[in-house]
Amino acid sequence: MRVHVDAEKCQGHNRCYSLAPELFDVDDLGNAVELNDGNVPEGLEHKARLAVANCPEYAITISE
Amino acid sequence: MTVNRHPPVTDFATDFDHTDPTWVNNPFPIWDELRATCPIAHSDRYGGTWLPVTHEHVSAIAYDTDNFTSRAVVVSEVRPGPLDLPAPIGVAPPITSDPPFHAMARRLLLPAFAPRKVDALEPFTRQLCNDLLDALEGKDIVDAAVEYAQHIPLRVIAKMLGFPTEDADYFRHVIHLILEEGITATEDDDERLVEGQALDAYFDNQIADHVANPRDDLTTFLLEAELDGNNLMHEHVRGTMLLILVAGIDTTWSAIGSALWHLAHNPEDLKRLAAEPDLMPFAIEEMLRAYAPVTMARLVAQDVEIAGCPMKEGDWVLLPFPAANRDPEFFDRADEVIIDREENRHAAFGLGIHRCLGSNLARMELRVAVEEWVKRFPDFELADPSAVTWAAGQVRGPRSIPVRLPGRSS
Ligand code: HEM
Ligand code: SF4
């Protein structure tokens, strides 16, 4: 599973970063970036889905 | 409160007024009713105002910065000048700015509000909360809004800007004038003019002091910031200070107050939160969803039709993010507070390019304030439900919450 942040849509609400700091980081402006190329380590799939479901801007997508 | 120059509302679908006591005390049934009957209402008040109440319409308007300008974001009797001036900066960039200037003004401030900067303020905030709680120990009945919630953002913002914390009372006074009394003010209001000049003078003093003694705070950050290779204009610095006072204090005070008010009369939620601190992040987001404090506004920039409603240039549009957050089309069990709600795409901090710049800070203050309160008083309760009062205007939160602190056996 991989997660992807659409930088055009991300407005830096930081929901993803606080729910899944293992998967997302924030840059100096507060916008989100995926960690390790978006690869979701085993066991963190639920967190990845949570991040998707809580992003107010629909900026995060998952690919299997 | 000011004299209400507005007659009582009898029909919210055709004549709503967000300062009407019915709305102020409990707006949720009004929005529910409108969602079912008239999802974009219109009122002739304030010279013509629209009110979308579904998540779909609120977000569509928030994203549509071509047809809706942020030149004025607080509905009042007075409108700003003509809408065809060049790319507006507005009195308080970036909140009153439109593209393309908005992005520059915002980018400038973003680093000061990024998560790591905010994390650095957490120990200060936690200490502040504990000092406030110490002062409540031993009392039977206290006001959680006045004696606790209110002080937290006032002092955190003063600390951030590098203003003396003793001036907190003055800020409170100024914010009240702008947010609550500004709504009914008219153009030739001498008192407001004098207050405005006094506030400018206060900012000028702080700026002079920071020019002479630069330090690690937001004021020095603003004075050193560059836009297109130049320092910010003096008015821009003052406008930003004003924005941060107005945007950062009543809002967060309201959010902390609403969360404590909820816990004060929902003992099962309080018990659960005290026993399961891991739920806190979800509970905080749910409080923000259910009791979102901030309704924004836009002006229609050019005639446009939204869902069949003919909006005319210069009309006001209220953007009630709190109503979007209660839309049952968008949220399961939208009218219930579910403190472990896992999926919560709420819009308390807005949507699109104006996403609350202070959202990381506000969340940190709210979480720390509730954590420390619940740790200290895990079984407090509402003392007198009828004595709870709510702020009128576009920032909604309890302004008085009398609670009983059970005697402690220690
Ligand atoms: C719970 C507390 C808060 C809530 C609910 C809240 C809500 C909002 C909302 C809904 C907006 C969107 C405005 C729009 O669409 O026009 C906004 C913008 C803004 N907020 Fe907050 N806010 C809070 C706390 C703060 C704090 C603590 C600060 C700063 C210290 C702050 C600073 C700002 C600024 C500067 C903007 C304008 C951003 C822009 O236009 O790009 N807010 N806020
Ligand atoms: S939750 Fe969405 S908008 Fe917020 S930082 Fe993450 S990707 Fe960006």
Side-chain angles (χ1 to χ4, degrees):
Chain A
M1 179 188 276
R2 299 184 58 171
V3 284
H4 172 69
V5 177
D6 181 339
E8 290 288 308
K9 287 189 177 169
C10 173
Q11 295 290 351
H13 288 258
N14 278 312
R15 299 292 305 282
C16 54
Y17 173 60
S18 42
L19 285 164
E22 306 88 343
L23 305 178
F24 303 91
D25 198 4
V26 273
D27 63 19
D28 288 344
L29 298 180
N31 291 326
V33 284
E34 339 47 14
L35 287 171
N36 54 67
D37 280 339
N39 284 305
V40 178
E42 251 189 60
L44 291 179
E45 293 84 357
H46 178 63
K47 284 201 168 190
R49 289 200 189 90
L50 266 188
V52 173
N54 282 282
C55 172
E57 309 285 350
Y58 292 87
I60 310 174
T61 44
I62 285 186
S63 50
E64 301 292 332
Chain B
M1 285 249 329
T2 29
V3 194
N4 193 351
R5 295 178 213 178
H6 300 259
V9 172
T10 51
D11 180 6
F12 277 92
T14 57
D15 187 35
F16 65 83
D17 187 329
H18 60 295
T19 64
D20 190 82
T22 311
W23 175 307
V24 172
N25 288 326
N26 188 10
F28 307 115
I30 300 172
W31 299 333
D32 289 345
E33 166 95 27
L34 289 177
R35 242 181 256 113
T37 55
C38 175
I40 302 186
H42 181 269
S43 169
D44 288 334
R45 299 192 187 210
Y46 305 97
T49 308
W50 297 91
L51 173 69
V53 287
T54 63
H55 187 280
E56 181 192 350
H57 294 143
V58 169
S59 65
I61 294 169
Y63 286 122
D64 186 351
T65 54
D66 292 333
N67 290 311
F68 300 92
T69 168
S70 284
R71 189 171 309 214
V73 289
V74 180
V75 169
S76 71
E77 297 293 351
V78 187
R79 282 178 164 65
L83 293 183
D84 56 354
L85 290 172
I89 295 170
V91 286
I95 207 165
T96 54
S97 316
D98 290 331
F101 181 81
H102 169 267
M104 283 189 282
R106 179 175 170 92
R107 197 185 163 87
L108 188 90
L109 293 175
L110 279 170
F113 291 91
R116 285 180 190 89
K117 283 281 179 193
V118 167
D119 288 348
L121 282 166
E122 187 168 326
F124 171 85
T125 310
R126 209 172 281 283
Q127 183 62 47
L128 166 62
C129 291
N130 275 293
D131 292 347
L132 293 167
L133 290 166
D134 287 347
L136 303 181
E137 290 278 1
K139 295 190 186 175
D140 178 28
I141 305 235
V142 303
D143 191 322
V146 174
E147 292 176 73
Y148 184 68
Q150 161 165 242
H151 296 291
I152 298 163
L154 272 169
R155 297 197 203 163
V156 169
I157 295 285
K159 161 97 178 158
M160 218 181 165
L161 281 164
F163 294 175
T165 35
E166 310 85 82
D167 296 344
D169 277 341
Y170 174 58
F171 305 149
R172 186 167 54 214
H173 164 76
V174 173
I175 298 159
H176 176 78
L177 273 182
I178 297 174
L179 283 180
E180 297 195 36
E181 306 205 353
I183 300 166
T184 45
T186 48
E187 229 142 344
D188 42 45
D189 192 328
D190 289 345
E191 191 200 336
R192 275 168 56 83
L193 205 69
V194 172
E195 288 285 350
Q197 285 164 350
L199 184 62
D200 280 349
Y202 178 87
F203 288 150
D204 289 345
N205 255 326
Q206 289 302 329
I207 291 171
D209 184 51
H210 280 78
V211 168
N213 310 290
R215 35 206 196 259
D216 182 17
D217 59 29
L218 190 54
T219 297
T220 296
F221 173 89
L222 289 172
L223 292 170
E224 290 176 353
E226 287 185 6
L227 204 59
D228 279 342
N230 299 309
N231 285 124
L232 303 186
M233 288 186 305
H234 192 72
E235 289 70 24
H236 190 155
V237 173
R238 280 203 311 223
T240 306
M241 290 174 161
L242 176 67
L243 170 60
I244 287 171
L245 290 185
V246 173
I249 295 177
D250 266 35
T251 49
T252 313
W253 173 21
S254 299
I256 298 170
S258 290
L260 293 176
W261 172 75
H262 176 88
L263 294 174
H265 70 283
N266 289 277
E268 59 303 342
D269 284 350
L270 176 58
K271 224 178 255 141
R272 214 173 146 205
L273 214 48
E276 300 172 58
D278 288 353
L279 283 184
M280 192 59 82
F282 296 102
I284 291 299
E285 296 305 325
E286 179 65 347
M287 300 293 178
L288 284 166
R289 180 192 71 83
Y291 306 114
V294 178
T295 290
M296 291 306 295
R298 299 286 187 265
L299 284 167
V300 177
Q302 58 204 37
D303 292 2
V304 60
E305 205 175 283
I306 302 286
C309 297
M311 303 187 178
K312 296 274 170 258
E313 179 179 333
D315 285 351
W316 289 109
V317 182
L318 274 170
L319 269 190
F321 295 112
N325 280 356
R326 294 276 188 149
D327 183 352
E329 286 283 305
F330 197 77
F331 293 97
D332 280 343
R333 298 159 71 191
D335 57 350
E336 290 172 53
V337 175
I338 303 172
I339 59 166
D340 58 356
R341 190 187 288 273
E342 281 206 331
E343 296 193 6
N344 197 346
R345 220 187 272 274
H346 71 78
F349 292 109
L351 291 168
I353 63 166
H354 291 280
R355 183 273 301 171
C356 176
L357 201 91
S359 63
N360 300 307
L361 179 66
R363 281 199 166 96
M364 182 277 285
E365 292 180 60
L366 175 58
R367 176 174 47 79
V368 170
V370 174
E371 274 171 6
E372 294 305 315
W373 179 287
V374 169
K375 249 189 255 165
R376 188 78 66 111
F377 302 121
D379 44 9
F380 75 113
E381 60 188 13
L382 209 51
D384 178 5
S386 66
V388 175
T389 55
W390 296 84
Q394 287 176 223
V395 179
R396 181 174 192 272
R399 290 296 173 263
S400 178
I401 323 170
V403 298
R404 179 169 300 108
L405 306 177
R408 301 202 308 145
S409 47
S410 60

